[in-house]
Amino acid sequence: RDCTVKVWQLPKSPSYDEIRITPSGSVHPIGEGWQNERVRGVKVVDRCPARHLATCTSSGHVLQLDAETLSLVHSVYQCRGYLETCCLATDGQIVAVGSRTHIGFVDFRSKNFYASVALPYGDTNSARSLSFHEGGNLLTIGGGRGLISFYDVRMRKYLVDNGRGRVRQLFNDQYCVPFADNEIFEDEHDDDFYDIEIRDYCLPAIFAHQWDPSGTRLLCAGGPLQSMLHGFFVGVWS
């Protein structure tokens, strides 16, 4: 929240019990005068000539940092017009950044912000999690209100259903399980949580997802997008 990045290095060890986390760098201020900025993600970019870190802030700034010294490698890549930038993913050289309405692509090799893609059907519920798959050719997008979309990076278009011609999307239509203070809500709170006027808000935003090694099963997890609601959701697609 204070717009800083810090790195820990895990020493190689045969046992997790022996791992000791040791700081390998000091807190690095991303920029002066950005008091209202927040770091929304950090990823290792390891297919450049040297290992770098990619970070993104809430207002659409992407920075390229040296992984060892945390010094700035390249000036800010700015995703102009992006609102609520909140996630990023990398295939080792390309960095994808997700916001409320768009996905942006930055190439760390050519130091270029080269593409911007709107979410399907004018969706404004945000990209909340991103991941590259199939050698970096497929970008999986976990969005708000239970939607998961797939973007072909090489063809620069969303995957579509052959029969209908519509963008292929997975819809997690089960409501989040409510909880408060680590316990399930009591009955009187259940009525409020599932009130028909806010029922649509109880659909999960997909804040995290992961493919299995075979690429045939997708784990997704999340909770309500609105900060006033609390709950959780976990699902598996195959």
Side-chain angles (χ1 to χ4, degrees), residues 1 9 14 23 25 29 31 45 50 66 69 82 114 121 161 163 165-166 190 208-209 214:
R1 293 184 64 176
Q9 182 175 354
V45 183
D66 184 283
T69 65
Y82 278 33
Y114 71 90
Y121 306 119
D161 288 326
R166 291 178 56 84
D190 286 346
H209 64 264
S214 69

Side-chain angles (χ1 to χ4, degrees), residues 34-56:
W34 291 10
Q35 291 85 353
N36 295 325
E37 290 276 16
R38 297 182 181 184
V39 177
R40 291 298 191 183
V42 179
K43 294 289 184 180
V44 176
V45 183
D46 54 9
R47 290 170 58 191
C48 292
R51 293 184 69 200
H52 293 157
L53 297 179
T55 71
C56 71

